Amino acid sequence: MLEIKNIETYYNLIYALRGVSLTVEEGTVTAILGSNGAGKSTVLKTVMGLIEDQPDKGTIEFQGRRIDGKDTEEIVRRGISLVPEGREVFEELTVRENLLMGGYTRREKSGIRQDFDRIYEHFPVLRSRADQWAGTLSGGEQQMLAIGRALMARPALLLLDEPSLGLSPILVREIFGIIQAINQSGVTILLVEQNARMALGISHFGLILENGRFVMKGPSQELMQDQDVREFYMGIRSEASAKGYQRWKRKKRWR
Ligand code: ATP
């Protein structure tokens, strides 16, 4: 569905993506993991045409048609929506108005009512907050609104940038459950996350980005079994390194 081939992205002199290739299969959830500054958000921004200097190397195809070099509005019209990191809801507008803004690129306006209903089914709390200023919502509610707003454009592919950022563990589980339900309703998802455990838990495929390059890719179930992924991205130490640490601690004690 989405095919990125050998993309290089710069911010002036900063070389952020160094030849990135990625395929997102229709109907799947694909997760990009990596540490701070690895270039995860840049991948999503590059797909959306949001980087000032368009990449001069590589191609991006969506549903068989080139989208690299197109402007963001055109990319949204073709069926891709982004939920940016930090949500960025319109604080001075109500929940309902925020959702309406999400549908602004749609040429045909019929069906908006049904879309509201569909979004309220995923996020019942938004229905009860419909006339509330978005700026007064909690962090979790704002994340729900940002996802709902992106869905108003009826995307075939939804890009999510760190949906777990700043949320409590319970809310993170709730949001990830909803992301899974959205996928099961037919929307393909590409998400960027630092919470590797949750992201691999709900995704079909995972990729690990380091310094602007993918260093590992595979089915999420396999990545979850990989020792390095467990240790460096999920915070689960291997038995061997845990034993090594215990030995080191014992030696230190006797010195
Ligand atoms: P995080 O998890 O912290 O959000 P990330 O993996 O999403 O990190 P990016 O935001 O894509 O990383 O940034 C990749 C690199 O590009 C970093 O070195 C960052 O400092 C740099 N960068 C990002 N945005 C800009 C910008 N607007 N101007 C200059 N450099 C930028």
Side-chain angles (χ1 to χ4, degrees), residues 28-47:
T28 59
V29 178
T30 300
I32 300 177
L33 314 172
S35 47
N36 284 115
K40 304 182 297 299
S41 302
T42 304
V43 174
L44 301 189
K45 286 184 189 157
T46 304
V47 171

Side-chain angles (χ1 to χ4, degrees), residues 113-160:
R113 225 195 122 80
Q114 286 96 308
D115 286 349
F116 267 98
D117 285 342
R118 199 165 44 92
I119 286 159
Y120 290 151
E121 258 171 49
H122 285 304
F123 308 104
V125 70
L126 294 184
R127 191 194 293 274
S128 59
R129 303 276 194 278
D131 296 313
Q132 191 170 317
W133 302 127
T136 63
L137 296 175
S138 70
E141 289 163 353
Q142 289 194 11
Q143 183 60 270
M144 294 179 195
L145 178 56
I147 298 174
R149 187 181 59 190
L151 288 176
M152 283 298 284
R154 290 200 187 164
L157 174 65
L158 183 65
L159 311 182
L160 295 161

Side-chain angles (χ1 to χ4, degrees), residues 43-205:
V43 174
L44 301 189
K45 286 184 189 157
T46 304
V47 171
M48 291 309 290
L50 286 168
I51 306 283
E52 209 173 305
D53 294 332
Q54 290 285 344
D56 49 13
K57 260 201 183 155
T59 58
I60 307 177
E61 270 184 23
F62 177 61
Q63 295 178 324
R65 292 161 74 198
R66 292 275 294 270
I67 56 165
D68 47 286
K70 301 272 179 250
D71 63 32
T72 305
E73 201 171 315
E74 172 64 19
I75 294 169
V76 175
R77 245 191 221 115
R78 296 238 188 138
I80 310 181
S81 286
L82 168 71
V83 180
E85 185 176 343
R87 296 122 201 173
E88 294 178 21
V89 297
F90 304 109
E91 296 191 355
E92 316 261 294
L93 299 182
T94 66
V95 166
R96 195 195 314 272
E97 288 164 343
N98 264 275
L99 291 175
L100 272 175
M101 293 292 284
Y104 85 102
T105 53
R106 281 162 63 155
R107 290 213 176 91
E108 55 85 28
K109 302 288 177 193
S110 68
I112 285 202
R113 225 195 122 80
Q114 286 96 308
D115 286 349
F116 267 98
D117 285 342
R118 199 165 44 92
I119 286 159
Y120 290 151
E121 258 171 49
H122 285 304
F123 308 104
V125 70
L126 294 184
R127 191 194 293 274
S128 59
R129 303 276 194 278
D131 296 313
Q132 191 170 317
W133 302 127
T136 63
L137 296 175
S138 70
E141 289 163 353
Q142 289 194 11
Q143 183 60 270
M144 294 179 195
L145 178 56
I147 298 174
R149 187 181 59 190
L151 288 176
M152 283 298 284
R154 290 200 187 164
L157 174 65
L158 183 65
L159 311 182
L160 295 161
D161 196 346
E162 302 252 6
S164 78
L165 196 75
L167 302 184
S168 67
I170 292 179
L171 264 174
V172 170
R173 269 197 293 278
E174 187 179 345
I175 292 276
F176 273 79
I178 296 168
I179 293 170
Q180 226 171 358
I182 292 169
N183 172 245
Q184 281 155 8
S185 75
V187 181
T188 304
I189 290 175
L190 174 60
L191 78 103
V192 149
E193 255 300 332
Q194 285 206 35
N195 187 331
R197 209 183 278 237
M198 286 305 295
L200 289 175
I202 66 152
S203 59
H204 303 94
F205 298 101

